[in-house]
Amino acid sequence: MSSSKNSLSNKAQAWSARFNEPVDELVQRYTASIGFDQRFALVDIAGSLAHAEMLAKQKIISIQDLESIKNGMAKIRSEIESGQFNWQLALEDVHLNIEARLTELVGDAGKRLHTGRSRNDQVATDLRLWLRDNVDIISTTLQALRLAILDLSEKHAATIMPGHTHLQVAQPITFGHHLMAYFEMFSRDESRLQDCRKRINKLPLGAAALAGTSYPINRDLVAQLLGFDGICDNSLDAVSDRDFAIEFCAFASILMMHISRLSEELILWLSPRFGFIDLPDRFCTGSSIMPQKKNPDVPELARGKTGRVYGDLISLLTLMKSQPLAYNKDNQEDKEPLFDAVDTVQDTLRIFADMIPHIQVQAKTMLVAAEGGFATATDLADYLVKKGLAFRDAHEAVAHAVKACVERQCMLTDLNLSELRLVCGLKNRPELIGDDIFPLLTVMGSVQSRQHPGGTAPEQVLVAVTRGREKL
Ligand code: ARG
């Protein structure tokens, strides 16, 4: 064994007796995956143990061989966990490294482990086991983020802010209602993730290289031992299917798109132009030149990292495009994009779940912003409609009123009843506007009038939060 445990040792050797010379050094480095597929070490061992257990049950190997394999694998696992394992570039990948060490430790039993198996079905199994574990971790973190959004929404069910379309003030809404829109997005993400998990959780082992095997194997037993819901039904598809990894990256891309939208809003709200929120210093950084700066680096980076996750999805789609059946070495390139998507999503979700509860809302600034921009103009139009005016006429009357207010530099609520009638051009139809209009022209009156499922009224936000809590 080499003394430097952490760097890869590199002893070129001929692949097998069929070969006359060792593989070229650059080719060895080019074709090896051990630099990144070490991450599969523990699932690779789990897959091998289930395979060996089945081989012994089916009397394809002896009970003594199974015991030796189990003992050897226990030793290998502890070597890996303590950083003592000697990973060798010459052994190409995680599968051959572990198998070689097993044979070194337990002799012939180690050489029998690969009976009825190929690295093609082995790597496909590792990929699924590894991704399944990570899907479950991501689901838990996503749940923490959704819970943080629910808590903040509940706290701000009645906090008024301006709602925007075209980034122009549109109508008053509540901050809780705005946040609950993200709860909806992240809930759909969770359901996409669980849907994808179903297709991840099928066993490829038994497909061997591509055509299956002539040994009397029991695939259902292996599936059961590894917690799979069933087996991949076609051996060619089993070794070459990477749909599940693409689906995961599609989930990750949509999730990151949602994160980027939230990030963009946080960045805007944090800008002094809006001044709607503040973030604790630990989520921000300063500038090396401008001492006054406090920059929203976390949401900016999350917005930026969205692009790399899209890149991971496109990499995998392009990798699989036009590949003939069954396994091709191209597939070795599936790992790094998948690892990158998993790591990026997991880190991003963790940091957002930590950050959301600490958003400090500047309710006064939000309220002032909602009161400007004639955000209740639609409420006035709706009022006129309820009094008998056709909607298009009401729309036109309010447009006149807004124009007059802009000229006078005042708000609709600054006008008294006769002024309001006048600027609406309704002087001759006084019955259309009465004193009961004034509560409706306030921003609170406006949001409170939106009392239906999915509406922005504080009571409806609380209903949505309760429904959200039941889903979690
Ligand atoms: N390292 C390989 C991969 O990641 C394992 C499968 C190799 N199979 C083969 N036929 N060369 O895909």
Side-chain angles (χ1 to χ4, degrees), residues 62-81:
S62 68
I63 298 291
Q64 291 84 334
D65 280 345
L66 174 63
E67 284 313 307
S68 304
I69 290 169
K70 281 186 181 167
N71 291 336
M73 286 299 197
K75 171 103 173 68
I76 291 172
R77 188 188 293 131
S78 76
E79 286 175 358
I80 291 169
E81 283 171 346

Side-chain angles (χ1 to χ4, degrees), residues 118-355:
S118 151
R119 278 187 297 156
N120 298 353
D121 57 347
Q122 189 178 358
V123 72
T125 303
D126 288 6
L127 200 56
R128 287 170 184 264
L129 286 172
W130 183 87
L131 187 56
R132 185 182 71 189
D133 287 350
N134 280 282
V135 160
D136 293 344
I137 295 169
I138 285 171
S139 170
T140 305
T141 321
L142 183 53
Q143 194 155 337
L145 173 60
R146 289 163 72 216
L147 187 60
I149 291 175
L150 284 179
D151 289 344
L152 197 64
S153 301
E154 186 168 38
K155 200 163 133 196
H156 291 287
T159 304
I160 304 284
M161 73 179 286
H164 294 85
T165 59
H166 314 271
L167 207 56
Q168 309 286 327
V169 172
Q171 293 178 329
I173 55 171
T174 53
F175 186 54
H177 191 54
H178 193 109
L179 288 173
M180 284 302 287
Y182 286 100
F183 181 81
E184 293 296 321
M185 295 179 224
F186 293 130
S187 298
R188 290 195 296 275
D189 289 329
E190 171 63 17
S191 102
R192 263 185 286 274
L193 183 63
Q194 292 310 324
D195 197 45
C196 159
R197 191 189 191 282
K198 288 182 218 151
R199 281 179 289 276
I200 293 171
N201 208 24
K202 298 272 188 229
L203 174 77
L205 274 180
L210 76 164
T213 175
S214 58
Y215 297 98
I217 57 169
N218 181 347
R219 297 186 68 200
D220 290 329
L221 174 61
V222 180
Q224 195 198 321
L225 290 172
L226 292 173
F228 284 109
D229 295 330
I231 61 169
C232 299
D233 282 327
N234 177 289
S235 66
L236 296 164
D237 185 48
V239 290
S240 65
D241 169 33
R242 296 293 182 272
D243 291 3
F244 61 92
I246 295 174
E247 276 189 56
F248 175 84
C249 287
F251 145 81
S253 295
I254 297 174
L255 170 81
M256 288 302 291
M257 177 269 287
H258 293 151
I259 287 277
S260 78
R261 297 185 71 181
L262 178 57
S263 296
E264 177 74 9
E265 299 209 294
L266 294 176
I267 293 162
L268 285 173
W269 295 341
L270 273 163
S271 145
R273 291 280 171 277
F274 276 76
F276 285 4
I277 61 166
D278 207 352
L279 275 182
D281 291 352
R282 68 175 181 284
F283 296 106
C284 300
T285 63
S287 155
S288 56
I289 172 168
M290 297 165 283
Q292 84 283 12
K293 292 295 288 292
K294 180 170 160 182
N295 295 328
D297 287 33
V298 166
E300 284 177 347
L301 261 178
R303 192 174 56 179
K305 284 176 188 288
T306 304
R308 65 189 284 158
V309 174
Y310 292 1
D312 297 330
L313 171 63
I314 297 298
S315 293
L316 288 188
L317 282 168
T318 312
L319 179 70
M320 295 312 295
K321 179 183 177 292
S322 313
Q323 262 200 51
L325 290 174
Y327 177 88
N328 300 284
K329 186 75 170 180
D330 312 41
N331 285 359
Q332 184 164 287
E333 288 289 309
D334 61 2
K335 288 161 202 65
E336 287 162 294
L338 185 64
F339 293 162
D340 184 71
V342 165
D343 293 343
T344 307
V345 162
Q346 175 62 4
D347 286 352
T348 304
L349 287 176
R350 272 190 54 199
I351 207 158
F352 270 68
D354 278 357
M355 188 173 67

Side-chain angles (χ1 to χ4, degrees), residues 4 16 19 29 36 45 81 91 116 157 214 244-245 316 337 372 412 425:
S4 71
S16 70
F19 289 74
R29 195 150 52 74
F36 47 87
I45 291 173
E81 283 171 346
L91 290 171
S214 58
F244 61 92
L316 288 188
L412 287 168

